[in-house]
Amino acid sequence: MPCSSINATTGGGSDNGSLRNFKLNESTFLASLMPKKEIGADRFVKDHPEYDGRGAVIAIFDTGVDPAAAGLQVTSDGKPKILDVLDCTGSGDIDTSNVVKADANGSIRGASGASLTINTSWKNPSGDWHVGCKLVYGLFTDTLTSRLKKERKKKWDERNQEEIANAVKIVDEFDQKHAKFEDTDLKRTREDLQNRVDLLRKQADSYDDMGPIIDAVVWHDGEVWRVALDTQSLEDDPQSGKLAEFEPLTNYRTERKFGMFSKLDACTFVVNVYDDGNILSIVTDSSPHGTHVAGIATAFHPEEPMLNGVAPGAQLISCKIGDSRLGSMETGTGLIRALIAAVEHKCDLINMSFGEPTLLPDYGRFVDLANEVIDKHRLIFVSSAGNSGPALSTVGAPGGTTSSIIGVGAYVSPAMAAGAHAVVEPPCEGLEYTWSSRGPTADGDLGVCISAPGGAVAPVPTWTLQRRMLMNGTSMASPSACGGVALLISAMKSEGIPVSPYTVRKALENTCLPVGSLPEDKLTSGQGLMQVDKAYEYIKLSQNIPHVWYQVKISQSGKSTPTSRGIYLREASSCTRSTEWTVHIEPNFHEGANNLEELVPFEECIELHSTEKAVVRPPEYLLLTHNGRSFNIVVDPSNLSSGLHYYEVYGVDCKSPWRGALFRIPVTITKPSVIVSRPPVVTYSKMSFQPGHIERRYIEVPFGATWVEATMRTSEFDTTRRFFVDTVQLLPLQRPVKWESVVTFSSPSAQSFAFPVVGGHTMELAVAQFWSSGIGSNEATLVDFEVAYMVFHGIDINKEEVMLDGSEAPVRIDAEALLASEKLAPVATLNKMRVPYRPVEAKLCALPSTRDKLPSGKQILAMTLTYKFKLEDGAELRPYIPLLNNRIYDTKFESQFYMIWDVNKRVHAMGDVYPESSKLPKGEYTLQLYLRHDNVQYLEKMKHLVLFIERNLEEKDIMRLSFFSQPDGPVMGNGSYNSSVLIPGKKEAIYLGPPTKDKLPKYSQPGSVLVGAISYGKLSNAGQGIGKNPTKNPASYEISYIVPPNKVEEEKGKVSSSRCTKSVSERLQEEVRDAKIKFLGTLKHGNDEEKLEWKGLVTQLKLEYPKHTPLLAKILECLLAQSDVKDKIHHNKKIIDGADEVINSIDREELAKYFAFKSDPEDEDAENIKKKMETIRDQLAEALYQKGLAVAEVEFISEEKASAKATIEGSPDVATSGDEPVQRPGVPSNLFEEIFGELKKWVNVKSSKYATLLVIREKRCGRLGTALKVLNDMIQEDGDPPKKKLFELKLTLLEEIGWSHLLRYEREWMHVRFPACLPLF
């Protein structure tokens, strides 16, 4: 995720931007908005104006960069600022594989169905036009979409109010004209007019703007691929936004041109065409973040140089890795494509202001490829460290956890505080923001390499309707550092100094200005605040020294695994004794280094230093060659006090000590205090805080503790104070277990917390006063952080994860209080259901585009897995893939993405590694999972990947499980258990009973898993409802229940009590007949031969079984299923004839007599007869219904032809109204009314199954308001997925009524409900 937009951290320092009695003037104020002085960039550019980034190219891995944003058009030397703009995520991809030809009028049919006129000046030698379309909101950010929706709704409401006023006026005029109306027709007319008013009012309440659709056209002009968009749907003026008026664009890299959708959105975009015109990528940003980042690094404002970015002469490429479909979350696909693009464009630098927590540092597919890019192609990779501070070990991946990447922390100077942040009184010294992530990593690496200013007022996209804005975060620190490195690269290239990420990084780290005076401050700020001018001097001195990265691998002596990059003693057991560690230093050269000229001669005499030999003792010297060297160091923390201690072992070149540390071995010791009192009580009193100050405490959590209850009291301050309170524990192969809270005190008071802990592991408690909180006050804040009575609570159980196997047997749970007496009050609920699915199809393909070819030349492959599932009712659900979910960087798989769509191809949900729940209506669904990698064997192993559909149970279906004191309790119903008090040293057993089978959700399937949570303890300050919900308890665990096989139905297999009066021969004939009818339904009739065969079988069966209603109903069903009908009138007459045959085969008098009497439900024979008669009635109703539809369509088509003929011949149209439709050619005038009247006798014509006929009738009679009301009711009542024919009928009614604003609204929704094609991955 982007690492920006928060505030704060701590530090001290010597000359790191500190300025006592700091005062601003206009010049220093402007400079503070885009800080450069802090890192020496202003001094460097003043001394070397030609080295302002010229010649350096930066790849911005972010949310996308707006090429129209202020300061991002040209460099300081007049070159194009942005060389390319790419959407690496695919979120803007449009399928343009559909190729059409223009008609004689120069028009084509767009993918949306709209007729588009081609500009005659456009060159297209082939005549092939690739068409596609996209809902434009899918290209916009949520913020922009929200603004547009608000503005569009305002205009829509105005139009709707006009129509309501007109409709009300017509009603009033009717009432005045007809004071009394007894006539049925007048009543219906009055009802119709009122329905129109009601419909307009209801529509205003249900308005939901899904956005307009844009048509895209792609063609090859003989030289390049060209793109034009039709954006009429975005414009108020129907004459604006036409395709023919669009100035064609090509790939941004070719001409560096961009477009804007409309003046209303003010959103710029660029286009790129892939796969021979079959994929169009429309590139927009997914957040202002990327443009802001690019502005900090490179913006050039000739009219106001103070607002220039750090390297105004640098160029950049924009690589969008924040997927618009996911709200700007990065994806594996985006990350890998961005690396490919950076190499392809021969970039010098990468800036990535994104990151996530990780369970494995310096590991994963992206890390492997980034290492390759850095090592082989010599790119310098700069990234944000994260915004998860102030606790230690909170650095994120990849910036804070990857050895080859320069991780940057966020620094704020007094000038930044006074200017950009506009605080009343700036701090007297610069410091790290409170939220800036800290090291070390889980394997002991420092985590933060360097620091840079973490806030700026920088350019933002035009759609924000402002030129620049303030953002802060390590996201801002990273481009500040990256811009500083671009200055160095500019100088190196100008002076012919070879560029190496190894040399540059060493120069940065060894010339930093320390932030803070304590050794452990390095965990916050890295080596300190980078200084461009000093780094430049270092690089000049180092230009003839081999480009080497000193890889450090450490293991505890006697153990080969695991290896680490530093020494991190965190647990109490490792802080009480001396340990010996083996350190292996291996010099790594860039790929392609010459064996004889570089590797063989490499030999360095290294002097090893320790910052505190009493604790960390290394050997004194080391002779290092290309093949590396190992040595041992001894760490003795036994005499240290509890708390944080940081040391380093570093190596210095004996011959060139000016080079500084060639490598560093971080040694972090967090020696915890041990709680010996019982009950366990901890109190930290009178902690004094100033703005930015952090207090850290380390506690060995007692074994058996599972949660903590704590109280924070403040006193002796005046203005409002804001605190960050964090706790962190580190467990093997897990992301840091972190709890955090931000607390604001407006006056001295107390706050209570409860949070989970893991017994036996060290917990850091970090309490920090926000860096800008309390500034201007001369009073320190006094804080008592106390673990009062029974703070460390815990109930030890014999199984943390409980599984009920589906049997009637309960699960025994042993509980024990190890610390103090605890109330055992177990609560367990099952609130989710996971149903496993295997793919029904797996497709493997090689991706065709060059954007998916790795720098090594390998082509990336894609595996698409298809899953099918069905919902009998609406549900909230998400896909769950245990193997792949919740890992972006710490996984060897490249990427994953899923989409869920219905039978109409409407996409209801999509996501990647963090799937979210979505509400889906009843229906059948397809889920496709898209996996990418260049290794075909990895993908082949995924062909049968199990995926779970996890469904959230409704409140009425949530199961609250019962506890028992006896093993037979669930069956016998006795021994119910509620609560008891656990005494330390004494175990107590309880039994968790399974849910009763009749309480299982009706949709639960055998083999599915019900999951939920279980908790055992009770908070001392538990509020209302907490005791009923285990997830609200800070210490809760997962519980699961396997749904068993269904019970065998008691009636199944019983012989019917009714007597069978038919002979075996008669029954055999019926079975054969029914089999033939069933077979008839399976026949295809796509081509002429198949139709002839079907017709022959129909004729034969009619002769064999004349007037057999099921056969005739099946024939009618087959006629209705026929597609590709050329002569619709002829086809509908066949349907009418088929329906008549069904109707005539039924004795309607006998049927009516039967339904006039009630049958005995206890009589099995009577029930069987009832089912048979109901089936016959349904067949009759269906035949009448289909006949009515066919008659209406014949009339409609005939009318259209007659109208067209009349128009040609100049004959006037004949208007009709009321309940007496005029004579229609082709059918008797009263036939429809006869059919409708007959249907009303048998079924409720207002039901969703038959209401279409009622809609048509009301439409024929001119009562369009009533017709529309019936249609709306029908659509709402229909539980099945939307039917396109119904909505097309709705469009017809709206068009006839003349409600253009509703017509436009519904047409936009048609593209949502019934998209032309599925979106691309």
Side-chain angles (χ1 to χ4, degrees), residues 763-811:
M763 179 190 79
E764 177 189 6
L765 169 66
V767 183
Q769 185 170 323
F770 195 64
W771 74 271
S772 61
S773 174
I775 284 181
S777 172
N778 297 320
E779 297 182 7
T781 312
L782 295 182
V783 171
D784 294 336
F785 200 97
E786 56 181 58
V787 179
Y789 179 67
M790 290 293 197
V791 163
F792 280 91
H793 296 265
I795 296 177
D796 188 54
I797 54 175
N798 61 335
K799 44 173 68 74
E800 286 194 354
E801 292 187 7
V802 178
M803 175 174 284
L804 296 157
D805 58 13
S807 71
E808 286 69 23
V811 172

Side-chain angles (χ1 to χ4, degrees), residues 1135-1150:
I1135 290 174
I1136 293 170
D1137 293 340
D1140 281 338
E1141 288 187 313
V1142 175
I1143 295 166
N1144 294 333
S1145 71
I1146 297 171
D1147 188 338
R1148 283 177 276 176
E1149 287 187 13
E1150 181 185 349

Side-chain angles (χ1 to χ4, degrees), residues 16-27:
N16 55 4
S18 64
L19 192 59
R20 299 183 185 278
N21 300 319
F22 184 82
K23 298 293 182 183
L24 282 176
N25 54 40
E26 182 182 358
S27 177

Side-chain angles (χ1 to χ4, degrees), residues 525-569:
S525 60
Q527 301 306 322
L529 191 62
M530 70 176 288
Q531 299 295 302
V532 176
D533 48 352
K534 295 179 181 178
Y536 170 61
E537 297 301 325
Y538 185 101
I539 287 170
K540 287 200 296 183
L541 291 173
S542 306
Q543 58 182 303
N544 296 319
I545 293 174
H547 305 306
V548 175
W549 169 45
Y550 298 85
Q551 185 179 20
V552 177
K553 290 184 179 180
I554 304 170
S555 59
Q556 194 165 353
S557 296
K559 297 180 181 179
S560 57
T561 57
T563 61
S564 62
R565 296 171 295 162
I567 298 173
Y568 195 3
L569 304 182

Side-chain angles (χ1 to χ4, degrees), residues 611-672:
T611 56
E612 181 51 73
K613 290 188 177 181
V615 180
V616 182
R617 288 180 293 145
E620 293 185 358
Y621 290 93
L622 183 74
L623 184 64
L624 186 63
T625 63
H626 164 250
N627 289 317
R629 181 69 189 276
S630 297
F631 61 91
N632 287 0
I633 61 176
V634 176
V635 180
D636 183 5
S638 57
N639 295 322
L640 295 176
S641 61
S642 61
L644 171 62
H645 307 272
Y646 178 79
Y647 310 100
E648 281 184 351
V649 172
Y650 58 95
V652 175
D653 187 345
C654 299
K655 298 179 180 179
S656 305
W658 60 266
R659 293 174 63 192
L662 303 183
F663 56 84
R664 292 181 174 87
I665 302 165
V667 180
T668 307
I669 302 170
T670 56
K671 193 169 185 178

Side-chain angles (χ1 to χ4, degrees), residues 221-236:
D221 68 359
E223 297 179 359
V224 295
W225 287 101
R226 292 285 176 187
V227 177
L229 302 183
D230 184 276
T231 59
Q232 289 185 81
S233 58
L234 284 164
E235 302 285 355
D236 292 328

